[in-house]
């Protein structure tokens, strides 16, 4: 079976906007969500800026009961539930206590590290011989699949409910896994997405690796510089993105709004060989992933309107653009427009693929290409590959039909999804 797969709902908790409307407006206007973090200064981090969703206390009351909020100490679960519930509502699907188990609905919602602050709290209580004070939710908040379990308590899905984890590739991988299951006729709709905890205990390891920028603590919005010659490392971020991935026949039957179609995609690994490692991709693996995604989608590289790249503001940005050029066999003015959401949000780690997929699909459904911040000094190696106009500084408002979304993660893992306007 090879059913068509579409997106019928979306939700997002991003550093520069919580909720689709706020996020879309931020993309179009180049609004950054990267801010100075006093806690990082207190803890003597070199990099003291980060992208973190701002969730007002009153907003939490819309998604959680007072009982659920008591003892809840996982920012990833907060972001994931907000984005997931919003996507489900946006798709017009039932949720809450009145919703009955639907055996055609599933959840594939990924994460990297979940419940770090809860772990820290639990370690102190255990070391103080006060285990009884851990509470009844400490396990579910610290197990990786806690996010999909929390979501399912709201959604009552009876199909596959699981959590994937593949570093920065997690969100894009979850979407493609959902699409594969629906194509095979094993589910009608799946909530797919990913989330990431925020805070010093998540970001500290990257600061120790010295791959975060420290020159922009006084100018946070200038810190994330994908494709720039002055890029100095990625700004850490967090958040969540969620998409309702649905069988086209089901979507049409219930008159659902359709944002875009998932034409295809590919997931692979470079095997940590040929210059690939724990922290760097094997270019051959990346190019194979791109080519296979294009083939699976049944399109040509020159049909792409835009690439929403991984592009983290490290020395690998030029290599990534070169890999795209060689895989698509396109250069100069023929190269698609290319952008990086990380210039506005920082690198949301395990949430990056899903948040950036929401951004990619908004570009298709609302016909615009968001601009790249802080890339005025385009890296010379990138300028040799593509013309400057294909790396827009400000949003372009034009028809967008086909977008490639890529994620390349630690451990040399890759995922590329091809999204299209629904015809």
């Amino acid at each position: 079976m090879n059913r068509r797969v579409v997106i019928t709902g979306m939700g997002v908790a991003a550093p520069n906007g919580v909720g689709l409307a706020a996020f879309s407006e931020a993309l179009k206007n180049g609004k950054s969500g990267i801010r100075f973090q006093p806690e990082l200064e207190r803890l003597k981090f070199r990099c003291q800026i980060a992208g973190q969703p701002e969730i007002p206390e009153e907003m939490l009351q819309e998604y959680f009961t007072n009982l659920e909020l008591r003892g809840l100490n996982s920012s990833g679960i907060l972001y994931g539930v907000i984005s997931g519930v919003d996507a489900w509502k946006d798709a017009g699907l039932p949720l809450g206590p009145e919703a009955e188990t639907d055996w055609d609905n599933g959840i594939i919602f990924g994460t990297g590290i979940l419940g770090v602050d809860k772990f820290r709290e639990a370690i102190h209580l255990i070391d103080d011989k006060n285990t009884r004070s851990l509470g009844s939710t400490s396990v579910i908040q610290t197990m990786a699949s806690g996010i999909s379990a929390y979501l399912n308590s709201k959604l009552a899905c009876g199909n596959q409910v699981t959590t994937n984890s593949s570093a920065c590739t997690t969100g894009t991988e979850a979407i493609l896994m959902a699409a594969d299951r629906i194509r095979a006729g094993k589910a009608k709709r799946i909530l797919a997405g990913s989330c990431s905890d925020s805070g010093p205990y998540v970001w500290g390891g990257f600061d120790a690796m010295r791959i975060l920028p420290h020159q922009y603590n006084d100018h946070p919005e200038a810190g994330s510089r994908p494709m720039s010659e002055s890029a100095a490392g990625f700004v850490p971020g967090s958040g969540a993105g969620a998409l309702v991935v649905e069988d086209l026949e089901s979507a049409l039957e219930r008159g659902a709004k359709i944002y875009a179609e998932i034409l295809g995609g590919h997931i692979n690994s470079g095997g940590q060989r040929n210059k690939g490692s724990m922290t760097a991709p094997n270019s051959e693996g990346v190019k194979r992933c791109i080519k296979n995604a294009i083939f699976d989608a049944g399109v040509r590289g020159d049909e792409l309107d835009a690439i929403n790249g991984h592009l983290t503001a490290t020395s690998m940005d030029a290599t990534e653009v070169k890999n795209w050029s060689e895989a698509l066999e396109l250069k100069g003015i023929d190269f698609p427009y290319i952008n990086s959401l990380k210039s506005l949000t920082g690198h949301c780690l395990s949430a990056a693929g899903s948040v950036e997929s929401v951004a990619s699909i908004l570009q298709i459904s609302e016909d615009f290409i968001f601009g790249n911040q802080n890339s005025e000094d385009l890296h010379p190696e990138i300028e040799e590959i593509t013309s400057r106009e294909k790396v827009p500084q400000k949003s372009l408002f034009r028809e967008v039909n086909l977008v490639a979304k890529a994620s390349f993660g630690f451990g040399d893992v890759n995922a590329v999804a091809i999204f299209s306007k629904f015809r």
Side-chain angles (χ1 to χ4, degrees):
M1 303 177 75
N2 194 19
R3 299 167 182 266
R4 291 175 71 182
V5 181
V6 293
I7 305 296
T8 57
M10 296 196 293
V12 65
N16 62 340
V18 178
L20 273 188
F23 185 55
S24 175
E25 202 62 27
L27 294 179
K28 292 170 183 172
N29 295 322
K31 178 186 174 184
S32 175
I34 299 170
R35 292 173 282 273
F36 175 72
Q37 306 289 327
E39 179 70 354
L40 300 186
E41 180 185 39
R42 186 184 73 81
L43 294 171
K44 306 294 185 188
F45 274 52
R46 293 173 79 246
C47 174
Q48 297 166 7
I49 60 175
Q52 187 171 351
E54 295 184 323
I55 312 289
E57 194 65 34
E58 57 271 19
M59 179 181 282
L60 295 177
Q61 304 293 328
E62 299 174 24
Y63 299 88
F64 299 92
T65 66
N66 288 330
L67 182 62
E68 286 172 328
L69 287 173
R70 193 182 305 154
L72 182 56
N73 194 11
S74 169
S75 53
I77 288 174
L78 295 180
Y79 307 146
V81 169
I82 289 170
S83 64
V85 167
D86 279 359
W88 207 249
K89 283 181 181 176
D90 188 40
L93 296 166
L95 73 163
E98 68 281 358
E100 296 185 3
T101 302
D102 190 320
W103 309 106
D104 291 319
N105 294 346
I107 299 171
I108 302 177
F109 213 93
T111 190
I113 304 172
L114 194 69
V116 170
D117 288 318
K118 192 66 180 179
F119 262 120
R120 182 169 178 264
E121 175 189 313
I123 288 166
H124 283 304
L125 288 170
I126 292 167
D127 286 346
D128 290 340
K129 304 178 179 64
N130 193 14
T131 306
R132 290 184 180 181
S133 298
L134 282 173
S136 60
T137 63
S138 62
V139 172
I140 197 168
Q141 288 186 58
T142 55
M143 67 186 195
S145 58
I147 179 56
S148 51
Y150 262 93
L151 280 164
N152 207 24
S153 70
K154 314 286 182 186
L155 310 186
C157 298
N159 207 280
Q160 183 182 23
V161 174
T162 191
T163 292
N164 66 308
S165 186
S166 297
C168 318
T169 304
T170 299
T172 307
E173 180 185 74
I175 294 163
L176 292 176
M177 289 168 68
D180 284 346
R181 188 168 181 83
I182 291 168
R183 272 205 193 96
K186 294 180 178 180
K188 285 188 177 179
R189 60 198 70 83
I190 294 176
L191 179 72
S194 61
C195 64
S196 176
D197 273 12
S198 60
Y201 305 108
V202 178
W203 303 328
F206 300 110
D207 199 62
M209 292 171 71
R210 295 181 177 264
I211 56 175
L212 308 185
H214 63 276
Q215 304 94 322
Y216 300 95
N217 292 338
D218 295 330
H219 308 285
E221 293 185 4
S224 184
R225 312 182 66 80
M227 295 185 281
S228 163
E229 186 176 14
S230 55
F234 74 80
V235 174
S238 57
L243 303 89
V244 175
V245 182
E246 186 163 0
D247 174 87
L248 174 60
E249 186 178 333
S250 164
L252 293 176
E253 276 178 7
R254 62 187 193 84
K257 163 179 56 186
I258 296 175
Y259 284 99
E261 182 170 1
I262 304 175
L263 289 186
H266 192 69
I267 301 166
N268 76 356
S269 170
Q272 299 184 43
R273 299 295 185 271
N274 187 26
K275 297 184 181 178
S277 67
M278 278 289 183
T279 57
N282 172 349
S283 287
E284 180 60 28
V286 169
K287 287 184 280 191
R288 281 175 175 265
C289 194
I290 295 167
K291 289 177 181 178
N292 287 336
I294 294 289
F295 177 81
D296 186 57
V299 298
R300 300 189 315 271
D302 61 5
E303 293 180 288
L304 290 176
D305 292 295
I307 297 165
N308 184 210
H310 188 59
L311 298 169
T312 58
T314 67
S315 59
M316 295 306 297
D317 286 4
T319 301
E320 180 180 335
V321 175
K322 182 182 178 185
N323 288 335
W324 279 104
S325 177
E326 292 179 359
L328 300 176
E329 299 180 3
L330 297 172
K331 289 187 71 173
I333 197 68
D334 296 325
F335 195 79
Y337 289 100
I338 186 164
N339 54 16
S340 171
L341 183 65
K342 295 177 182 72
S343 65
L344 297 173
T345 62
H347 187 352
C348 294
L349 305 175
S350 55
S354 58
V355 173
E356 292 165 13
S357 289
V358 172
S360 300
I361 292 164
L362 282 172
Q363 292 181 115
I364 290 170
S365 65
E366 299 183 10
D367 285 317
F368 73 100
I369 295 171
F370 66 83
N372 297 280
Q373 303 300 303
N374 308 319
S375 63
E376 299 86 359
D377 57 331
L378 191 63
H379 195 289
E381 290 180 30
I382 294 176
E383 196 166 7
E384 287 177 9
I385 296 166
T386 182
S387 64
R388 276 184 172 266
E389 67 184 80
K390 291 305 179 89
V391 188
Q393 307 297 306
K394 294 183 178 179
S395 294
L396 305 176
F397 294 88
R398 45 159 290 163
E399 185 176 12
V400 178
N401 293 299
L402 203 63
V403 174
K405 167 70 211 122
S407 296
F408 308 123
F410 271 21
D412 198 7
V413 289
N414 311 310
V416 175
I418 309 296
F419 301 118
S420 167
K421 202 179 282 298
F422 172 65
R423 305 292 186 190

